Amino acid sequence: EICEYLGCDRIVAHPCFDGSARYPMPREREYGENIAFYTSLIPLLKKHHVYCLLENMWIQDWASKKIYTGCCSDMKEACMYIDTLNEMAGEKLFGFCLDTGHFHPTESIPDKLSAICAQNGRILLHVSRGVRWDSDHVILLDDPLLDLGREAVRNDNGHNLFYTLDYFDASINRLAAWVIGARNWQKALLIAMLEPSAPACQYEYAGDFTARMAYREAIKSLPWGAVWNYYCESRGVPADADVLAPIRAYEKEVLLKR
C-alpha cells in the first residue's frame, strides 16, 4: 500500500536468515522459510502492482569481525529463488537487488553482476563499499568501484541496471558524503564509457595476452579528468576542488541551526 501511494513499483524485501556465522540454520530450513514468506506476498504484489526484489545478505561473526556469505549471496542460489517464486506466481513478480557492500571485500562483484543479469535481465544495483565488519555507504573511487563501473557499462551499456546509492556515515558531513559518493560513481561510469576497450578485446581474441596487458596498463593514464572537469563546467556544478565551499556554507547557515 505504501508503494502504491508513493507511485513506486519496486520494493526490496530482505530474505530471512539466521545471521549466526558459527551456528547457522540449515540451508533447507532457510530456503523453506523464505519461500513461504515470499509466496505470502504474491497476492499483495499482484493487487498493488509491485515488483519485489530479493537482496543478497551476509553473515557476521561478531567476535572475530569477519563477514561470510549469507542467503542469496551465491548467484546460483539467488536465481533459483527468483525462478521458483516467479513460476509459483505465474508471472514475473520477483527480481534482484545486488548490494555490493554485502560481500566480503576480497570477492569479485563484477563477475556476480554478469551472472545475475544474464539470468534475470534488469536488476537493481545498490552501490556501497564492503568493509570487514559491515558496508561503508560512502563509496570511494578505488579499483573495485572502477571494475564495477566497467562491468555496468559493458553489460548492455547499463540498460540492464537501476542504480541506487545511500549515505549514512555519522562521522562525516552527510551532505559531503552524498556529493562525493555520487560523483565517484559518476566518474567510474564516465571512465568506463571513455575507455577504448576494443583493441584489448582484439588482443584477447588473438591470444596475445602480452599486448592486452600492455594496452590495459597504458589506458590507465588517459586524461579522463579533463573530460570530467568539462562535464562539471558544462552542467554548471563545482569542480572537485570547489565542492566543499558550498557544503561548509550550508552546514553553517542551515544544519547548525537545526
Side-chain angles (χ1 to χ4, degrees):
E1 292 178 355
I2 295 176
C3 285
E4 189 175 43
Y5 176 77
L6 294 175
C8 174
D9 62 353
R10 299 288 192 277
I11 186 171
V12 177
H14 288 180
C16 307
F17 67 106
D18 187 298
S20 171
R22 298 188 179 186
Y23 308 104
M25 74 167 70
R27 284 286 180 169
E28 295 80 7
R29 178 186 166 195
E30 181 181 79
Y31 179 77
E33 291 189 3
N34 279 314
I35 291 295
F37 165 64
Y38 285 115
T39 52
S40 71
L41 300 179
I42 290 175
L44 291 172
L45 297 175
K46 290 183 176 182
K47 177 182 177 181
H48 299 288
H49 309 289
V50 175
Y51 195 64
C52 181
L53 304 178
L54 286 69
E55 184 173 304
N56 54 297
M57 303 306 296
W58 79 104
I59 300 175
Q60 183 168 357
D61 186 339
W62 294 100
S64 63
K65 301 298 183 182
K66 292 181 180 178
I67 289 180
Y68 301 88
T69 55
C71 186
C72 288
S73 286
D74 179 81
M75 295 300 100
K76 181 179 179 181
E77 180 188 41
C79 290
M80 180 178 66
Y81 267 106
I82 295 168
D83 289 344
T84 300
L85 291 167
N86 283 330
E87 183 177 354
M88 296 175 72
E91 59 181 291
K92 194 167 183 178
L93 292 178
F94 295 89
F96 194 65
C97 170
L98 187 121
D99 190 324
T100 62
H102 286 182
F103 292 103
H104 192 277
T106 61
E107 290 187 84
S108 174
I109 299 173
D111 291 341
K112 299 178 184 293
L113 185 63
S114 301
I116 194 70
C117 283
Q119 177 72 10
N120 287 280
R122 198 167 193 181
I123 68 165
L124 176 66
L125 180 62
H126 180 186
V127 186
S128 57
R129 183 166 57 92
V131 292
R132 294 190 180 274
W133 54 88
D134 200 346
S135 55
D136 189 328
H137 291 255
V138 185
I139 52 177
L140 304 179
L141 192 63
D142 51 12
D143 287 341
L145 189 72
L146 292 172
D147 288 340
L148 188 64
R150 292 187 183 99
E151 192 62 35
V153 168
R154 292 170 186 169
N155 191 1
D156 195 22
N157 291 321
H159 297 145
N160 272 340
L161 302 168
F162 293 100
Y163 304 128
T164 180
L165 304 93
D166 57 80
Y167 311 96
F168 45 87
D169 186 337
S171 67
I172 61 178
N173 181 291
R174 296 198 177 191
L175 186 58
W178 169 41
V179 171
I180 294 171
R183 288 165 73 103
N184 280 341
W185 180 234
Q186 289 178 306
K187 289 177 188 176
L189 294 174
L190 174 66
I191 293 170
M193 288 187 284
L194 292 173
E195 187 177 84
S197 58
C201 294
Q202 293 172 1
Y203 293 138
E204 183 169 333
Y205 294 148
D208 191 347
F209 301 119
T210 302
R212 183 190 67 177
M213 181 186 71
Y215 183 78
R216 292 193 61 176
E217 291 302 304
I219 63 178
K220 289 180 180 180
S221 57
L222 292 178
W224 63 267
V227 180
W228 170 255
N229 289 335
Y230 173 77
Y231 174 76
C232 292
E233 182 180 356
S234 66
R235 294 297 184 272
V237 298
D240 290 343
D242 302 321
V243 295
L244 276 183
I247 291 173
R248 295 298 190 198
Y250 183 83
E251 183 178 36
K252 182 179 179 180
E253 298 169 7
V254 179
L255 295 182
L256 291 180
K257 296 178 181 179
R258 290 180 177 175

